[in-house]
């Protein structure tokens, strides 16, 4: 099928794809956004510190980061469909196994090691690779819908996990949550998740259309580009601080005296407003320079940090802070994915974007651990909130300094220069 520049033609042909990919991406981050409500009951039963519990996320995300580039290369070679279908089964099974934790630290590390292996197959590269191959004129909005899967996770899992924990205990909650999610997601992926790299016999494109759709710079050219390292820095710093706060958002509120279920309700606002923010970011990316849109988005959380620092016990301030964080949460993935496709094209998108996902994963790995360690040392999250304002400012500056993106014709010409 010919990939039209017309946004309407793209949506007519492939509208289910971003939705299915979004459910896949929600699966990739479910362990991050669901973990907050589990922190207190696990700490109470095992007498562990919050940093010890958060170390599981560090293990999973760090291991995932190490293999981001190889997995990206695999997606470039065999297509995202097969990788994603295997990944959602592995991830849901691994999250369910967390309910079998014994309280032994070696057992906890082993369980998160299993989950770490599962994260390899559901990385953002898998879902964005398929969507970017089908959408060009409306790529920003399509990526926003796809990556709103994280917003769905941030909205659904804190409340679902809190309810399941209160009704059945934290062990059953891990298993029930995973089983319900797999039953919803797997059929959607089976029927609707297919990128241009996953062409079947019934769906062929001409050679010229394929070259244009999957054009881009060589891997060596991408590695030499300053834009690669600016995107890596911006995404990594933002993810470190944003995910650190989101994972600990419920404890941040309960420490100020908020009841657990009420705190989970406030935390769910992060997910709700994240959907609005992602879609708005996607629309803006299709209309304005992406690096400027991203830089402004990365500055939005600064007022939220100030509210939590100076008026964190006030329910109104808590809700406003959650809404502000939501408006920008995940924008780092949207913006970085969009700019990666614009700067480097799709020929080696999996490998080059994989390097950026590695930085994002390292941020996810050490953000929650850092926030937990700060609390354990200072008895407060305030120093981490202060660090957040600094690192988000640095991320915004990195994006402001990027040059204009190359045209589609320049990427097609670059793709003729070798792989």
């Amino acid at each position: 099928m010919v990939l039209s520049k017309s946004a309407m033609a793209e949506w007519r042909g492939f509208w289910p794809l971003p939705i299915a990919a979004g459910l896949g991406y929600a699966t990739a981050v479910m362990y991050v956004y669901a973990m907050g409500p589990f922190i207190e009951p696990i700490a109470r039963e095992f007498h562990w510190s919050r940093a010890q519990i958060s170390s599981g996320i560090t293990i999973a995300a760090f291991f995932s980061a190490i293999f981001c580039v190889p997995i990206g290369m695999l997606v470039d070679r065999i297509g995202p469909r097969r990788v994603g279908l295997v990944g959602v089964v592995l991830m849901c099974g691994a999250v369910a196994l967390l309910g079998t934790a014994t309280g032994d630290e070696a057992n906890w590390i082993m369980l998160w090691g299993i989950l770490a292996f599962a994260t390899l197959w559901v990385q953002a590269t898998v879902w964005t690779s398929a969507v970017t191959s089908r959408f060009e004129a409306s790529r920003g909005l399509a990526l926003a819908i796809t990556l709103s899967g994280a917003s769905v996770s941030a909205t659904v899992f804190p409340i679902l996990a809190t309810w399941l924990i209160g009704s059945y205990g934290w062990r059953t909650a891990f298993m029930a949550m995973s089983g319900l999610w797999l039953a919803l997601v797997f059929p959607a992926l089976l029927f609707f998740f297919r990128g241009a790299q996953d062409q079947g016999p019934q769906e062929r494109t001409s050679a010229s259309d394929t070259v244009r759709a999957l054009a881009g710079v060589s891997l060596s050219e991408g590695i030499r580009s300053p834009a690669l390292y600016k995107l890596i820095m911006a995404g990594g710093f933002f993810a470190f601080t944003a995910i650190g706060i989101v994972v600990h958002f419920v404890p941040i509120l309960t420490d100020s005296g908020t009841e657990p279920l009420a705190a989970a309700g406030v935390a769910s606002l992060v997910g709700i407003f994240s959907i609005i923010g992602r879609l708005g970011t996607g629309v803006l990316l299709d209309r304005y320079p992406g690096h400027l849109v991203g830089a402004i988005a990365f500055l939005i959380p600064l007022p939220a940090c100030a509210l939590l620092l100076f008026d964190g016990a006030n329910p109104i301030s808590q809700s406003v802070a959650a809404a502000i964080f939501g408006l920008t949460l995940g924008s780092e993935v949207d913006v970085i994915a969009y700019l990666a496709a614009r700067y480097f094209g799709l020929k080696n998108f999996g490998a080059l974007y994989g390097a950026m996902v590695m930085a994002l994963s390292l941020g996810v790995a050490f953000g929650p651990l850092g926030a937990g360690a700060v609390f354990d040392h200072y008895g407060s999250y305030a120093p981490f909130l202060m660090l957040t304002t600094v690192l988000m400012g640095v991320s915004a500056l990195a994006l402001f300094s990027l040059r204009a993106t190359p045209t589609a014709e320049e990427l097609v010409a670059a793709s003729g220069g070798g792989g």
Side-chain angles (χ1 to χ4, degrees):
M1 181 175 182
V2 175
L3 293 179
S4 173
K5 286 186 176 181
S6 165
M8 289 299 296
E10 290 172 352
W11 284 106
R12 281 197 300 269
F14 305 111
W15 67 266
L17 175 59
I19 298 172
L23 292 173
Y25 186 58
T27 309
V29 296
M30 67 183 294
Y31 74 96
V32 176
Y33 293 112
M35 198 61 200
F38 288 94
I39 290 176
E40 287 193 13
I42 293 175
R44 187 166 55 248
E45 180 169 336
F46 294 157
H47 306 290
W48 286 352
S49 70
R50 295 183 183 184
Q52 282 178 289
I53 298 169
S54 300
S55 67
I57 294 176
T58 303
I59 293 168
F62 183 75
F63 186 82
S64 176
I66 295 173
F67 291 95
C68 280
V69 174
I71 290 295
M73 295 173 73
L74 180 65
V75 170
D76 288 335
R77 180 174 294 273
I78 71 171
R81 176 178 169 80
R82 283 178 282 181
V83 178
L85 287 173
V86 171
V88 293
V89 175
L90 292 176
M91 176 57 76
C92 290
V95 171
L97 282 176
L98 293 176
T100 67
T102 64
D104 178 74
E105 288 192 41
N107 169 261
W108 186 247
I109 292 172
M110 180 194 72
L111 291 173
W112 279 94
I114 295 171
L115 193 146
F117 176 76
T119 64
L120 299 181
W121 313 98
V122 290
Q123 293 177 6
T125 309
V126 176
W127 317 110
T128 57
S129 180
V131 172
T132 53
S133 73
R134 298 299 200 184
F135 290 84
E136 181 180 350
S138 189
R139 184 174 288 162
L141 180 58
L143 282 172
I145 292 174
T146 298
L147 297 170
S148 290
S151 305
V152 172
S153 281
T155 303
V156 171
F157 288 121
I159 294 177
L160 178 60
T162 300
W163 178 75
L164 288 171
I165 291 168
S167 300
Y168 304 103
W170 66 268
R171 296 180 183 278
T172 301
F174 271 126
M175 300 176 188
M177 181 177 67
S178 302
L180 289 170
W181 190 251
L182 180 62
L184 169 68
V185 173
F186 190 82
L189 295 178
L190 189 63
F191 288 108
F192 302 118
F193 183 66
R194 189 185 296 275
Q197 308 94 322
D198 302 305
Q199 302 283 29
Q202 76 284 4
E203 185 182 31
R204 301 292 184 188
T205 60
S206 70
S208 61
D209 292 331
T210 301
V211 167
R212 181 175 179 84
L214 302 179
V217 303
S218 69
L219 188 56
S220 60
E221 288 172 331
I223 291 173
R224 293 194 302 269
S225 171
L228 175 68
Y229 301 99
K230 291 180 180 181
L231 291 172
I232 286 173
M233 180 175 68
F237 282 171
F238 189 93
F240 174 84
T241 50
I243 299 301
I245 288 175
V246 169
V247 169
H248 288 265
F249 203 81
V250 170
I252 287 172
L253 301 187
T254 55
D255 286 347
S256 68
T258 307
E259 292 296 320
L261 192 57
V266 173
S268 71
L269 293 175
V270 175
I272 294 171
F273 278 86
S274 179
I275 296 173
I276 298 171
R278 283 181 186 273
L279 295 177
T281 299
V283 171
L284 292 173
L285 286 171
D286 287 331
R287 287 165 172 75
Y288 301 102
H291 65 295
L292 299 181
V293 173
I296 294 170
F298 280 24
L299 292 173
I300 290 176
L302 271 60
C305 292
L307 285 172
L308 293 177
L309 280 168
F310 299 111
D311 197 26
N314 187 327
I316 295 177
S317 295
Q318 292 175 352
S319 298
V320 173
I324 293 174
F325 271 118
L327 287 175
T328 192
L329 177 65
S331 63
E332 79 282 8
V333 185
D334 300 49
V335 169
I336 300 302
Y338 179 89
L339 291 176
R342 289 299 187 193
Y343 279 106
F344 307 117
L346 302 183
K347 184 177 182 180
N348 289 288
F349 178 83
L352 293 170
Y353 182 55
M356 300 169 209
V357 173
M358 178 173 66
L360 294 169
S361 298
L362 288 173
V364 172
F366 292 104
L369 180 66
V374 165
F375 177 87
D376 292 339
H377 184 76
Y378 294 101
S380 169
Y381 288 103
F384 192 82
L385 289 166
M386 296 176 189
L387 178 64
T388 295
T389 62
V390 175
L391 293 184
M392 287 187 174
V394 173
S395 298
L397 287 175
L399 293 183
F400 269 125
S401 68
L402 287 169
R403 64 176 177 82
T405 57
T407 64
E409 289 70 23
E410 290 172 335
L411 288 175
V412 172
S415 67

